[in-house]
Amino acid sequence: MSLVAYFDAASSEPLHPQAREALLAAIDVGWADPARLYGQARRAHLLLEQARTEVAEALGARSDEVSFTSSGTQAVHLGVLGTLHGRRRVGRHLVTSAVEHSSVLHAGGVHERDGGTVETVGVDLTGRVDLDGFAAAVARPGTALACLQTANHEVGTLQPVAEAAAACRAHGVPLLVDAAQTAGRMPIPPGWSVLTASAHKWGGPAGVGVLVVRKGTRFRSFLPEDERERRRVPGFENVPGIVAAAAALRAMAAEAAQEQARLSELVGRIRDMVPKTVPDVEVIGDPAERAPHIVTFSCLYVDGEALLTELDKAGFAVSSGSSCTASTLRPSHVLEAMGVLTHGNVRVSLPRGTSAAEVDRFLAVLPELVRRIRQDAGVA
Amino acid sequence: MTEVTQPALTIDALGKKCPIPIIMLAEQINFVPLNAVVAVLADDPAAYTDVPAWCRLKSHRHVGSYELPEGGWAIHVRRNY
């Protein structure tokens, strides 16, 4: 067992050993321009297309629907703005949930500044989008696109994607599904028109995102013309990174049924034990309909930054949605939209291979750390 | 529109970051009689979410949050027990 327990898989999953192996091999043979016609180029092209086929298969898509981007955020930006651009004659209305990743909300901001409209549908106390509100919003004439995540990145709650997709289909509206938190861990729910994901969240390297556009979905990049990636993504492909990403996804998906069930049990143990051992704590998110690896809780009267610092000293890498720990002065928009405590917030997200002993050690040290921080703040 | 109940106690937490406004509220809510209202003045955006969330967890009642002309809010809480 390593000295530091890394519990921040929702930010980045450690590189899968098979991805590392694939990356090292592909750096040596996959460096040439896959668009050229000589031997090294054909080799790079072959590696790229093989990776595309593997990723398509794992995500339930056709390989000609899959494009590689430089990040999950770029995939979302291109996916949102490209679909809106492709459907601008239909209308300029965008529908999202209030708890989408900031990349979706910021793409919506660009769309608004460009004269489009954005409707943000609220969530309940568990973070699940109001499905009736979502369906009503996409029914509005002129809706060009709707966006919904598979699972929330801060609290783990699963979104009703299949139901939202049915509502979208009934009104001929494409649905962009952000699968960043679940790709490689859970099957992709059906019904999407555009799908985005990020390789470093499934154990691939950073610098590779995936943008999948279903055949028949109107799409036009809003960026200057470029021949790469079916004109959807500009710039030279990161072939070694993409090869490694595909290897990680294949490996992760192959072990997902067993490993994610095991992680989900450990998350269940945290959800169960924290309220029993720490007074005045709120475990956040849906207890059952959730991603297997994420659990979030907020401790009343506790400064989130102080708690993260203490956990770091005790050998635990976790993250927080509290404002005092973030780069902004505002608390997490997800916690705000849910109406739950934003201070004293801790997100634990378990990477593959997390041991029960690490989780138990976390559960053993947490109550005393919280008690001490409260005592220092003068809370009895 | 219903009239806003005059607070029996006003806690000035302006300029204080969460969780301090919540700690002050928890310390002082028992200084007012049952069913009386405490007003928390706060300008940390976290307080806007956290005071109502605290009320839900502690079974007190969040009456309403009113914007202050100088920025921030007066967040009214009714003592339930």
Side-chain angles (χ1 to χ4, degrees):
Chain A
M1 188 165 78
S2 67
L3 286 174
V4 175
Y6 178 81
F7 287 170
D8 198 16
S11 292
S12 195
E13 171 80 20
L15 193 67
H16 196 288
Q18 293 193 28
R20 184 174 183 278
E21 207 175 297
L23 183 64
L24 293 176
I27 280 172
D28 287 336
V29 294
W31 49 269
D33 185 345
R36 301 287 171 258
L37 294 175
Y38 37 80
Q40 297 99 320
R42 280 201 291 267
R43 186 74 197 270
H45 178 77
L46 201 69
L47 287 171
L48 176 61
E49 293 313 312
Q50 203 177 327
R52 197 187 309 280
T53 303
E54 286 170 12
V55 168
E57 202 177 288
L59 299 179
R62 291 168 41 151
S63 65
D64 62 354
E65 296 171 334
V66 174
S67 301
F68 293 106
T69 66
S70 62
S71 67
T73 290
Q74 195 201 27
V76 167
H77 290 168
L78 294 170
V80 170
L81 296 174
T83 313
L84 287 169
H85 191 44
R87 285 177 47 85
R88 68 197 181 287
R89 285 197 186 84
V90 177
R92 304 211 60 201
H93 191 54
L94 169 68
V95 174
T96 81
S97 89
V99 297
E100 295 303 304
H101 187 262
S102 57
S103 57
V104 173
L105 303 180
H106 289 156
V110 168
H111 178 61
E112 252 178 337
R113 286 195 289 282
D114 193 37
T117 53
V118 178
E119 187 167 350
T120 306
V121 181
V123 298
D124 65 15
L125 210 52
T126 71
R128 179 171 292 102
V129 70
D130 166 13
L131 191 56
D132 290 342
F134 198 87
V138 299
R140 187 173 144 179
T143 301
L145 176 67
C147 301
L148 190 60
Q149 60 200 184
T150 51
N152 185 265
H153 49 294
E154 288 188 34
V155 303
T157 298
L158 294 178
Q159 300 295 350
V161 171
E163 294 86 342
C168 286
R169 194 164 46 246
H171 298 283
V173 173
L175 179 67
L176 182 149
V177 171
D178 170 13
Q181 284 306 337
T182 60
R185 298 176 193 276
M186 304 175 79
I188 305 288
W192 52 269
S193 296
V194 181
L195 184 74
T196 60
S198 173
H200 73 94
K201 298 208 196 281
W202 70 55
V208 179
V210 178
L211 170 64
V212 194
V213 181
R214 269 273 188 254
K215 207 103 190 140
T217 306
R218 278 188 181 275
F219 186 93
R220 194 170 166 206
S221 176
F222 67 102
L223 291 176
E225 289 262 310
D226 193 286
E227 296 298 321
R228 307 268 167 181
E229 295 301 290
R230 285 147 184 88
R231 295 175 170 254
R232 288 180 198 138
V233 189
F236 190 104
E237 296 91 344
N238 172 8
V239 175
I242 290 166
V243 168
L249 182 58
R250 200 179 46 206
M252 195 79 162
E255 66 196 22
Q258 233 178 349
E259 178 63 1
Q260 299 304 316
R262 195 184 66 83
L263 294 179
S264 184
E265 251 177 67
L266 294 176
V267 160
R269 190 183 300 188
I270 297 172
R271 291 191 67 100
D272 185 43
M273 286 306 293
V274 166
K276 287 181 184 155
T277 57
V278 180
D280 285 327
V281 75
E282 182 178 28
V283 180
I284 290 164
D286 196 294
E289 293 295 306
R290 58 171 171 79
H293 60 307
I294 301 175
V295 50
T296 298
F297 53 87
S298 291
C299 307
L300 258 178
Y301 318 127
V302 168
D303 176 343
E305 184 170 356
L307 186 50
L308 253 57
T309 306
E310 288 305 314
L311 283 168
D312 182 44
K313 279 192 230 161
F316 296 98
V318 299
S319 80
S320 170
S322 295
S323 51
C324 39
T325 59
S327 48
T328 61
L329 290 173
R330 289 199 72 83
S332 135
H333 71 273
V334 172
L335 302 179
E336 273 187 333
M338 293 168 66
V340 295
L341 280 187
T342 71
H343 72 259
N345 179 257
V346 172
R347 179 186 70 184
V348 172
S349 53
L350 307 179
R352 62 183 281 282
T354 299
S355 70
E358 286 174 302
V359 169
D360 287 342
R361 186 163 70 86
F362 175 80
L363 290 170
V365 305
L366 181 73
E368 176 57 19
L369 295 183
V370 171
R371 195 196 60 78
R372 213 186 307 149
I373 291 166
R374 283 176 176 158
Q375 192 177 40
D376 291 350
V379 181
Chain B
M1 185 179 150
T2 52
E3 202 161 312
V4 176
T5 311
Q6 275 305 311
L9 174 71
T10 297
I11 299 171
D12 183 359
L14 292 166
K16 301 222 179 348
K17 298 240 156 277
C18 259
I20 294 166
I22 305 286
I23 293 175
M24 294 170 81
L25 172 60
E27 276 169 355
Q28 298 180 37
I29 189 141
N30 290 340
F31 297 176
V32 304
L34 279 185
N35 296 315
V37 168
V38 177
V40 183
L41 310 184
D43 51 12
D44 180 10
Y48 186 80
T49 304
D50 284 9
V51 173
W54 179 85
C55 291
R56 180 172 49 75
L57 292 171
K58 288 288 166 187
S59 305
H60 289 295
R61 187 171 142 72
H62 172 233
V63 181
S65 300
Y66 313 98
E67 272 184 45
L68 298 172
E70 65 272 27
W73 307 269
I75 309 170
H76 286 201
V77 175
R78 191 183 296 279
R79 183 183 168 192
N80 267 357
Y81 58 90

